[in-house]
C-alpha cells in the first residue's frame, strides 16, 4: 500500500483498533483477541514474544492475557509515524524494533548469565520479580543493552497500556471512561 | 516544480503559524501554510492515551545531549495544529518581572519590550480564542487588564482538596486562566470536564488552532498544505531578501514555494535547523546568524510534582488536564532562598491511567501485585499539584546541526541542554514546599514525584533583542538581518518565565503579525 493511502486507511477505518493479519487478510482486533486466536507474529520471534509476555506479566498482572506481545509485535510492523507505543513519546529512535530486540536480548542474556543458563521465561515468579527489581534500579550484574531503568520504563508502560489504558481497563478500576470519541472495540 | 508565487509562506501550522496565517489572510494577503505532518481533523482526536500519541512526532531529527537531555516528543507537535493540538490550555501570562531580569537582578537577559507592550495582545487573544478565568483575582500579581470573556471553569474535589494545604502555606490560589470554554463561546460548546485535553479535544471547547486562528485563516482564504516538509529558506543572490522555501510534498517530490515574506513557525528547535540549512555564500553560518546566536539560549521548564493519596473519592477523572487553580505567589525571582527563578503553581488536574502523566507513573517504583493494588487506590483518591520552575537562558544550551541527515538530505541537529545550579535548587525547593502543602491537606499519603529532572516546553534558540549583535529577531519576530524573514513561536522568547508559554506565543504572534500587516509594503517590498 502506498504510504499516503496507508495513512488515509489508518486515519479512517482502522481508527481505534489494530490491524492484524489473519489468513492473509487484515482484520481489526484487540491484542487480547489476536493472542486468543493465535494470530501469527509479524516481527518478534517466538522466543522474544515469550520473554515479553513473561516480563509484561511480572510488571503488570494481566498483561499476558491482554496481549502485550501481540500489541508490541503489531506496532513494530507498522511505520513509526503510525505507532502508538510509549517508546514514541520517550524519544526512542525508529525503527522501534531495534530497541525492543536489544532490550529483550539484554534481559535474556543477563538472565542466562545469572541463572545457570535459564532465560527470563524459565525463572520462577519470585526470581522474575527480583530480576525486574534489579533491572529497575540498574543493578543487574553484567547487563549489556539499553539502560535497565529505561527498559523497565518503556516495557512497563506497554504493560500498563494494554491492561489499564483501554476502556475495559478503566472499567476494571471502576473509573468512568467518558470518551469524546471512543476507540472502537473498547480498545 | 514551482508553485504560484504567494504573499506569505508560513512554515508550520501550529499555534504561532496559525496566528500569522489568520492575520495576513484577513488582511487580504495570499497565504500558504506548509505543515510537515498530517492534516488532522477534530474527528481524529480519539479519547485514548495510546491513540493520542499519533499526533506527536515519531521520527527523531534531533539528537539529545547534555546533563538534562531535552525530552521533546511528549510535548512536541506533528501535523496541523502542532503541539497546540494536544496542549493543556493553561493560560498564565508572563509577568512584568520576566521582561527585565538583567536590569533588575544583573542576570540573564532583558527583553526589548515590557509587559505593557504585550498586555494588550494578551487581552485580544483572550477575546479571540476564548479564555475562562478571573482576571480581577489575578490582578494581585499583575497590572489591570481586560476581564476574561468567560467565568472560571467548574472545579472538582481533586483540585478543591488542596486549598487547605495552600492556605496553611500562605499561598493564594485563584481560578486558573485556561483557553477553554466554561460556557458556550463563539459557537463552540462548553467543556464537559472529561479530562481528555492532553490527547486533543474534539469538541471545540478547548481552543486549539483548528477551532481558532487556523480555522479563521482558512475561512479568509489561507491554504494549508499538509505532509509538506520544508528543508530550506531560499534567498536572493545579494542575500538581502528571502524569496521563498524549498519543500518536499506528500509524494516526497521537491517543490519551491516563492513568497514575498517567509515566516518560520516550525518550533523552537526546527526553526534554527532550517536557518542552518539555508546557508549561502552571503550567509555562511546560516540565515540571520551573523551574530552566531541562531540555536543559542534554548530553555526548558521543569516541574516539581507532589502527589497526595486520600481515602475519599476525589473524582480525579473529572476536570481538565491543565489546572483548576493557579498561583503566582512564588513568582518573584528570589522567592526561594538559595535559588533563582520564578515558580508558577497549579492544582487540580484530571488524571488518566497510562501515558507519561498517568497515575501508573505516580509510583514508578511499583510493579506486579503492588502496582495493581496501588492502581485501585489511586483510581479513587490520587491527586497532584505541580510547581513549574524557570531556568535562565544559558548560551551553552543550544541547537547545532550534526553530520547525520534525514531522508531529504537535511542535516539532523542536536539539542544540548543542561540545567544550572539555580534551576536544580529551585526544583528542590519546590519539592520541599510541595510536601509541606500536601501534608497540610490531611492526605493519607504524600510524596514527591521525583525522577529525572523534567524538560517541559522549549523556548529560545532564536531570541529577540535590540540588534543583530545580541539577538536573532526584533520584538516582532522579524530577523534583524533579513527584513522579510520572520520567526514565530517560543523560540523568540528572551527568557522563559515559569508560565506555560502558549498564551505568550499567541500574544507575541498577534503583535508581530499585526505589525507585519500594517507595514507590509515596507517589509515585503
Amino acid at each position: 500500500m502506498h504510504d499516503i493511502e496507508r495513512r488515509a486507511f489508518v486515519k479512517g477505518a482502522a481508527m481505534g483498533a489494530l490491524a492484524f493479519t489473519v489468513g492473509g487478510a487484515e482484520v481489526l482486533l484487540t491484542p487480547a483477541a489476536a493472542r486468543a486466536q493465535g494470530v501469527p507474529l509479524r516481527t518478534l520471534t517466538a522466543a522474544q514474544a515469550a520473554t515479553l509476555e513473561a516480563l509484561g506479566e511480572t510488571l503488570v498482572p494481566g498483561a499476558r492475557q491482554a496481549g502485550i506481545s501481540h500489541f508490541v509485535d503489531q506496532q513494530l510492523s507498522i511505520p513509526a509515524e503510525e505507532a502508538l507505543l510509549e517508546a514514541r513519546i520517550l524519544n526512542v529512535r525508529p525503527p522501534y524494533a531495534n530497541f525492543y530486540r536489544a532490550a529483550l536480548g539484554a534481559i535474556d542474556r543477563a538472565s542466562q548469565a545469572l541463572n545457570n543458563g535459564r532465560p527470563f521465561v524459565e525463572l520462577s515468579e519470585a526470581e522474575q520479580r527480583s530480576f525486574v527489581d534489579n533491572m529497575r534500579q540498574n543493578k543487574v550484574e553484567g547487563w549489556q543493552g539499553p539502560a535497565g531503568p529505561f527498559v523497565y520504563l518503556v516495557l512497563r508502560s506497554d504493560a500498563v497500556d494494554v491492561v489499564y489504558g483501554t476502556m475495559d481497563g478503566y472499567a476494571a478500576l471502576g473509573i468512568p471512561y467518558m470518551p469524546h470519541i471512543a476507540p472502537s472495540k473498547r480498545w | 516544480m514551482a508553485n504560484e508565487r504567494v504573499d506569505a509562506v508560513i512554515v508550520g501550522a501550529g499555534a504561532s503559524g496559525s496566528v500569522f496565517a489568520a492575520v495576513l489572510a484577513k488582511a487580504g494577503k495570499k497565504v500558504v501554510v506548509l505543515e510537515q505532518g498530517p492534516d488532522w481533523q477534530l474527528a481524529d482526536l480519539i479519547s485514548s492515551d495510546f491513540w493520542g500519541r499519533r499526533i506527536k512526532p515519531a521520527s527523531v531529527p534531533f539528537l539529545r545531549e547534555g546533563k538534562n537531555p531535552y525530552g521533546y516528543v511528549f510535548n512536541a507537535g506533528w501535523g496541523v495544529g502542532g503541539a497546540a493540538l494536544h496542549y493543556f490550555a493553561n493560560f498564565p501570562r508572563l509577568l512584568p518581572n520576566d521582561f527585565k531580569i538583567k536590569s533588575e537582578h544583573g542576570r540573564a537577559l532583558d527583553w526589548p519590550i515590557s509587559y505593557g507592550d504585550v498586555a494588550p495582545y494578551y487581552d485580544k487573544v483572550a477575546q479571540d480564542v476564548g479564555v475562562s478565568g478571573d482576571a480581577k483575582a489575578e490582578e494581585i500579581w499583575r497590572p489591570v487588564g481586560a476581564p476574561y470573556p468567560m467565568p472560571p471553569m467548574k472545579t472538582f474535589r481533586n483540585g478543591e482538596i488542596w486549598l487547605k494545604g495552600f492556605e496553611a502555606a500562605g499561598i493564594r490560589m485563584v481560578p486558573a486562566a485556561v483557553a477553554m470554554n466554561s460556557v458556550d463561546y463563539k459557537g463552540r460548546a462548553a467543556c464537559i470536564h472529561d479530562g481528555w485535553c492532553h490527547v486533543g479535544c474534539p469538541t471545540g471547547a478547548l481552543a486549539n488552532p483548528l477551532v481558532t486562528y487556523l480555522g479563521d485563516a482558512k475561512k479568509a482564504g489561507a491554504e494549508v498544505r499538509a505532509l509538506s516538509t520544508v528543508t530550506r529558506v531560499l534567498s536572493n543572490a545579494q542575500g538581502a531578501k528571502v524569496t521563498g522555501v524549498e519543500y518536499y510534498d506528500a509524494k516526497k517530490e521537491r517543490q519551491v514555494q516563492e513568497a514575498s515574506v517567509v515566516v518560520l513557525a516550525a518550533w523552537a528547535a526546527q526553526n534554527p535547523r532550517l536557518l542552518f540549512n539555508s546557508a549561502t555564500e552571503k550567509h555562511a553560518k546560516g540565515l540571520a546568524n551573523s551574530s552566531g546566536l541562531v540555536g543559542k539560549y534554548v530553555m526548558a521548564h521543569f516541574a516539581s510534582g507532589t502527589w497526595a493519596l486520600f481515602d475519599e473519592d476525589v473524582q480525579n477523572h473529572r476536570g481538565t488536564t491543565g489546572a483548576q487553580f493557579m498561583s503566582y505567589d512564588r513568582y518573584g525571582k528570589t522567592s526561594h532562598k538559595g535559588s533563582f527563578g520564578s515558580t508558577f503553581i497549579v492544582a487540580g488536574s484530571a488524571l488518566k491511567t497510562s501515558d507519561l502523566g498517568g497515575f501508573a507513573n505516580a509510583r514508578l517504583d511499583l510493579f506486579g501485585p503492588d502496582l495493581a493494588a496501588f492502581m485501585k487506590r489511586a483510581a479513587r483518591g490520587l491527586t497532584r499539584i505541580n510547581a513549574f520552575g524557570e531556568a535562565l537562558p544559558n548560551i551553552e544550551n543550544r541547537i547545532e546541526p550534526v553530520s547525520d541527515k534525514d531522508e531529504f538530505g537535511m542535516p539532523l541537529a542536536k539539542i544540548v541542554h543542561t540545567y544550572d545550579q539555580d534551576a536544580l535548587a529551585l526544583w528542590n525547593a519546590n519539592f520541599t514546599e510541595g510536601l509541606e502543602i500536601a501534608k497540610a491537606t490531611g492526605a493519607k499519603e504524600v510524596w514527591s514525584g521525583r525522577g529525572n529532572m523534567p524538560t517541559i516546553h522549549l523556548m529560545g534558540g532564536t531570541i529577540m533583542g535590540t540588534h543583530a549583535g545580541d539577538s536573532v529577531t526584533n520584538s516582532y519576530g522579524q530577523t534583524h538581518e533579513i527584513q522579510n524573514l520572520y520567526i514565530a513561536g517560543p523560540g523568540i522568547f528572551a527568557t522563559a518565565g515559569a508560565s506555560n508559554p502558549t498564551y505568550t506565543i499567541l500574544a507575541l504572534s498577534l503583535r508581530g503579525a499585526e505589525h507585519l500587516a500594517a507595514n507590509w509594503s515596507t517589509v515585503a517590498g
Side-chain angles (χ1 to χ4, degrees), chain B residues 377-444:
Chain B
R377 290 188 293 142
R380 181 178 164 82
L382 185 67
T383 177
R384 180 188 63 203
I385 57 171
N386 247 327
F388 292 91
E390 172 182 25
L392 298 186
N394 176 346
I395 199 165
E396 294 302 319
N397 287 334
R398 64 195 186 274
I399 292 156
E400 284 181 357
V402 299
S403 56
D404 286 358
K405 295 183 177 177
D406 66 15
E407 61 180 317
F408 304 113
M410 182 176 175
L412 308 183
K414 62 180 178 182
I415 305 174
V416 182
H417 182 263
T418 299
Y419 284 121
D420 63 18
Q421 285 303 309
D422 277 311
L424 184 60
L426 186 58
W427 189 51
N428 286 325
N430 282 327
F431 276 127
T432 300
E433 183 156 58
L435 277 182
E436 290 169 3
I437 294 164
K439 286 173 184 169
T441 63
K444 188 173 183 183

Side-chain angles (χ1 to χ4, degrees), chain B residues 15 28 55 98-99 131 137 168 215 223 275 316 349 354 368 386 401 408 420 460:
Chain B
I55 59 175
D98 286 317
F99 294 83
V131 172
E223 179 191 354
L275 293 171
N316 57 24
S349 304
S354 59
N386 247 327
F408 304 113
D420 63 18

